[in-house]
Amino acid sequence: MADEEWQEFLGHFERRKLALGQCGRAYGSSCVHEHACVRCPVLIVGPGERPRLEEIRENLHARITEAEREGWLGDVEQLTVSLAATDGKISQIDVNERRKSAPVFVGMPAISELVVRKAENRDKTD
């Protein structure tokens, strides 16, 4: 790989760093959302971004109220889409945090399952 290609590859990952997290788009693909990242399904947000998302949500509520008051129906529609996406990102953070703190079942059989298996194996060998 040429030095120029390597720099382009590394630059891709630098450009994936956003104010709200990391862009999960594939290498070599462009962003079709043009900085409307809160709506993007491949935006990866961390728990530290929750306060910023809550601030964005509050701002969206205020902007929707203004747009409704002024009769800007197109803005109301688009701001509502952004609000739903913001709520979705906050929900993702909540789910990930609950998942981290929840116990993980590692597949250990219960004692009663072991006894049944032992009995089944004994019947097969007789």
Side-chain angles (χ1 to χ4, degrees), residues 61-72:
H61 279 295
R63 292 175 61 199
I64 290 168
T65 300
E66 177 188 21
E68 287 172 338
R69 184 182 66 242
E70 298 297 328
W72 302 331

Side-chain angles (χ1 to χ4, degrees), residues 72-100:
W72 302 331
L73 300 182
D75 284 351
V76 170
E77 183 178 332
Q78 293 304 310
L79 291 167
T80 302
V81 171
S82 293
L83 178 61
T86 302
D87 287 338
K89 297 297 182 193
I90 291 171
S91 293
Q92 283 177 349
I93 290 171
D94 293 343
V95 166
N96 289 338
E97 290 302 299
R98 279 193 303 272
R99 188 177 299 135
K100 285 180 187 176

Side-chain angles (χ1 to χ4, degrees), residues 5-26:
E5 291 173 312
W6 181 247
Q7 292 304 317
E8 170 59 29
F9 179 76
L10 294 176
H12 165 81
F13 294 100
E14 283 299 312
R15 288 187 299 277
R16 288 175 43 166
K17 295 177 183 175
L18 307 168
L20 290 173
Q22 295 283 324
C23 179
R25 73 183 187 278

Side-chain angles (χ1 to χ4, degrees), residues 33-53:
H33 297 99
E34 296 185 25
H35 304 291
C37 293
V38 75
R39 295 182 179 191
C40 183
V42 295
L43 173 65
I44 304 163
V45 293
E49 300 306 323
R50 185 186 181 96
R52 176 72 175 123
L53 286 169

